[in-house]
């Protein structure tokens, strides 16, 4: 039998102490030479000790003073803002937006860069992601390296295209509308967002007080005069009387279930693309640039070259944009199956595509629904997955369906590159890649990759 410890023995026992947290480096400043652009709206630099800095508000080749905004001693990398420009790039301009800059609004990444430089930087990011994650050069991806602006967006330096047809304003505790600061919940009050579409700006959201609201989302449809605001109240708050400068429908987000409910007016807006009108319910996905839908449909259809009688899949189909375009082109002898996880989006898609007898839309996650369909062969596939991409499992399934061509629409070049590597493993190669600057002033791009069986190119 083991003896009980004596008091002396008990006293000598020590309680493990938590490891001391590394010292924060927030606020520290470093004079650095700025290196290449990186995915995420920043450039890469290194401190004199070799620690990596991801620096916003700068451009490659500049020498700046970078102030740390996130990170601590021993961190793999630090985040920082360029707070003083010592040697400026020839591509630098004064930011047109008065709310842009270190510690200010986080909605835009490249207000300080000439428009052509922005597109060049985005192209460098896409090329880097393709090489690093898929082992593809631009030539191997069938891409000439250019990033194309949308129609009407090619403007002189200092001018900003007003393109964003859906803007979610955050509301501070004083009821002032604004936008979030970068990687922060803090609100930067604004009196005018330069990238907001004219239809959003004309509502006058920024000029009103919004007591008790957490967010106010303003939507200006491209294909109609429909205008809508979606209000998210703070817990326990009552809706204000909404009086804006244009007729508008009002919706509210329920604090209990997160659902979007109609207060007055239509519960949807009408958008138009490829010669068709689409109903998009509250919270439903639609491209935010007024030229995006037509630009992407054109790129996808030119890449796929649908034929009469084709069987096609539209995965992550939303309200049916690509399914409608495919249905028009494959004709009465063809068929289209759409798969979408959002319940309201599926309702809208079925409404939008009701005129096509051979179009079906199923609700559920693609990775779960597609195997259950029993489909073993198709002619064409369109997939427009969320930012995270389609993933290995879904791609592997698609490579077994013997599709003649696959169109992959991507809003994130890293996710696209990962999935292209999975397609290559399944026997598909990239035939062409097109990159579009549908989010000017931000680091985001939209890509359309057309794939075909690798054996076909031999």
């Amino acid at each position: 039998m083991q003896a009980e410890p004596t008091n002396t023995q008990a006293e000598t026992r020590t309680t493990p102490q938590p490891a001391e947290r590394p010292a924060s480096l927030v606020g520290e400043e470093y004079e650095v030479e700025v290196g290449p652009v990186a995915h995420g709206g920043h450039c890469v630099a290194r401190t004199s000790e070799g620690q990596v800095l991801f620096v916003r508000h700068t451009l490659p080749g500049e020498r700046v003073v970078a102030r740390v905004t996130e990170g601590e001693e021993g961190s793999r990398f630090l985040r920082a803002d360029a707070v003083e420009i010592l040697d400026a790039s020839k591509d630098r301009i004064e930011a047109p937006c008065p709310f842009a800059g270190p510690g200010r609004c986080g909605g835009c990444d490249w207000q300080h860069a000439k428009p052509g430089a922005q597109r060049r930087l985005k192209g460098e990011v896409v090329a880097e992601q393709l090489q690093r994650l898929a082992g593809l050069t631009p030539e191997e991806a069938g891409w000439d390296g250019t990033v194309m602006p949308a129609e009407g967006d090619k403007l002189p330096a200092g001018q900003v295209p007003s393109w964003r047809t859906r803007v979610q304003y955050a509301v501070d505790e004083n009821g002032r509308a604004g936008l979030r600061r970068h990687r922060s919940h803090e609100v930067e009050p604004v009196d005018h967002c330069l990238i907001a579409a004219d239809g959003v700006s004309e509502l006058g959201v920024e000029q009103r007080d919004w007591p008790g609201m957490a967010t106010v989302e303003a939507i200006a449809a491209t294909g109609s005069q429909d205008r809508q605001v979606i209000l998210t109240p703070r817990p326990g708050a009552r809706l204000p009387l909404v009086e804006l400068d244009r007729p508008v429908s009002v919706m509210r987000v329920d604090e209990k279930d997160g659902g979007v409910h109609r207060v007055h007016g239509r519960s949807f807006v009408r958008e138009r693309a490829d010669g068709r009108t689409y109903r998009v319910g509250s919270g439903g996905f639609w491209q935010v640039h007024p030229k995006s839908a037509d630009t992407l449909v054109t790129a996808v259809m030119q890449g796929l070259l649908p034929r009469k009688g084709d069987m096609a899949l539209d995965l992550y189909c939303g309200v049916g944009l690509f399914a409608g375009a495919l249905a028009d082109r494959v004709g009465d002898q063809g068929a289209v199956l759409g798969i979408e996880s959002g319940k309201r989006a599926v309702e809208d898609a079925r409404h939008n595509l009701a005129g096509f007898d051979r179009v079906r839309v199923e609700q559920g996650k693609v990775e779960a629904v597609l195997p259950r369909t029993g489909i073993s062969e198709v002619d064409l596939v369109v997939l427009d997955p969320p930012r995270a991409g389609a993933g290995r499992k879904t791609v592997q399934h698609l490579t077994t369906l013997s599709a003649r061509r696959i169109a992959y629409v991507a809003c994130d070049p890293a996710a696209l590159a990962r999935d292209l590597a999975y397609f290559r493993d399944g026997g598909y190669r990239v035939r062409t890649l097109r990159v579009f600057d549908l989010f000017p002033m931000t680091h985001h791009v939209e890509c359309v990759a057309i794939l075909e069986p690798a054996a076909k190119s031999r």
Side-chain angles (χ1 to χ4, degrees):
M1 181 173 170
Q2 190 172 12
E4 292 292 324
T6 64
N7 287 342
T8 302
Q9 290 173 319
E11 287 171 0
T12 59
R13 290 183 176 180
T14 58
T15 302
Q17 297 296 313
E20 188 173 334
R21 185 177 179 84
S24 172
L25 294 177
V26 173
E28 291 291 318
E29 294 185 352
Y30 300 91
E31 184 176 317
V32 295
E33 300 285 342
V34 179
V37 65
H39 185 28
H42 48 249
C43 297
V44 180
R46 289 183 181 271
T47 68
S48 57
E49 292 80 24
Q51 195 163 20
V52 173
L53 285 171
F54 289 156
V55 189
R56 284 172 57 82
H57 310 292
T58 189
L59 294 168
E62 293 188 324
R63 188 165 61 90
V64 305
V65 175
R67 181 181 297 154
V68 177
T69 56
E70 292 181 42
E72 54 194 20
E73 290 181 352
S75 295
R76 190 163 57 90
F77 61 84
L78 307 174
R79 296 186 184 274
D81 286 340
V83 295
E84 184 179 354
I85 310 303
L86 304 176
D87 290 323
S89 165
K90 62 180 176 57
D91 291 322
R92 174 174 286 276
I93 60 171
E94 184 176 352
C97 177
F99 306 106
R104 305 295 300 278
C105 173
C108 292
D109 306 294
W110 300 117
Q111 287 268 351
H112 58 286
K114 294 177 181 177
Q118 293 183 36
R119 292 190 287 273
R120 187 170 65 252
L121 292 171
K122 295 182 185 191
E124 291 173 9
V125 169
V126 173
E128 188 271 337
Q129 296 293 302
L130 288 173
Q131 181 62 59
R132 186 168 64 87
L133 298 175
L136 289 171
T137 65
E139 293 75 17
E140 290 170 330
W143 176 44
D144 64 5
T146 62
V147 178
M148 297 296 297
E151 180 185 345
D153 278 359
K154 200 167 185 179
L155 299 175
Q159 295 186 29
V160 177
S162 302
W163 58 269
R164 195 172 184 91
T165 60
R166 295 174 177 232
V167 178
Q168 186 175 78
Y169 296 93
V171 181
D172 68 14
E173 293 181 353
N174 296 316
R176 296 176 301 177
L179 298 164
R180 301 283 185 193
R181 291 170 182 153
H182 182 61
R183 293 177 62 84
S184 172
H185 293 293
E186 293 183 0
V187 179
E188 177 77 19
V190 302
D191 55 27
H192 177 57
C193 175
L194 289 183
I195 66 171
D198 292 342
V200 169
S201 297
E202 70 184 10
L203 294 176
V205 171
E206 301 109 326
Q207 281 72 51
R208 302 291 194 280
D209 288 332
W210 299 94
M213 297 300 102
T215 64
V216 178
E217 183 175 4
I219 300 171
T222 300
S224 67
Q225 292 300 309
D226 294 348
R227 304 290 182 262
Q228 187 177 81
V229 294
I230 304 175
L231 305 178
T232 304
R234 295 180 186 275
R238 300 180 64 180
L239 287 185
L241 181 63
V242 178
E243 294 182 346
L244 294 173
D245 295 343
R246 293 289 186 276
V248 63
S249 298
V250 179
M251 310 291 291
R252 70 164 290 163
V253 177
D254 190 282
E255 64 180 88
K256 294 181 181 178
D257 62 13
V260 182
H261 304 286
R262 186 176 69 89
V263 177
H264 69 76
R266 288 193 182 97
S267 62
F268 58 87
V269 296
R270 293 163 297 177
E271 300 281 3
R272 192 158 179 83
D274 194 42
R276 299 183 57 79
T277 297
Y278 290 84
R279 185 182 82 181
V280 184
S282 301
F285 175 78
W286 188 262
Q287 292 283 346
V288 294
H289 193 294
K291 300 293 184 181
S292 287
D294 276 323
T295 298
L296 296 175
V297 166
T298 298
V300 166
M301 296 302 129
Q302 287 177 346
L304 290 181
L305 298 175
R307 303 169 184 167
K308 297 295 184 182
D310 275 344
M311 165 60 190
L313 295 176
D314 181 9
L315 308 181
Y316 317 93
C317 72
V319 301
L321 172 64
F322 295 114
L326 286 165
D328 272 336
R329 291 159 174 81
V330 302
D332 294 339
Q333 300 305 309
V336 181
L337 171 66
I339 302 177
E340 166 60 38
S341 62
K343 181 179 179 182
R344 178 57 196 266
V346 168
E347 292 173 359
D348 286 337
R350 289 171 177 166
H351 169 87
N352 295 331
L353 304 171
F356 297 106
D357 293 335
R358 292 176 59 80
V359 175
R360 191 170 90 248
V361 180
E362 298 289 343
Q363 183 188 350
K365 293 185 176 181
V366 169
E367 61 269 27
V369 174
L370 185 57
R372 293 203 304 262
T373 64
I375 293 172
S376 59
E377 188 172 348
V378 296
D379 297 297
L380 303 172
V381 177
V382 180
L383 63 158
D384 185 5
R387 192 168 300 280
R392 186 191 299 270
K393 181 179 178 182
T394 296
V395 171
Q396 286 177 337
H397 189 112
L398 291 175
T399 60
T400 68
L401 301 182
S402 305
R404 183 173 75 246
R405 286 191 181 176
I406 297 172
Y408 189 128
V409 182
C411 60
D412 184 88
L416 171 65
R418 285 192 294 269
D419 285 345
L420 290 183
Y422 301 146
F423 273 111
R424 181 186 56 217
D425 294 343
Y428 276 76
R429 64 177 284 272
V430 186
R431 177 184 175 88
T432 61
L433 175 68
R434 299 175 71 181
V435 184
F436 301 96
D437 186 14
L438 301 180
F439 310 90
M441 303 293 151
T442 79
H443 73 272
H444 300 289
V445 294
E446 201 81 25
C447 301
V448 177
I450 304 299
L451 299 100
E452 65 181 9
K456 186 175 179 180
S457 63
R458 292 176 184 170

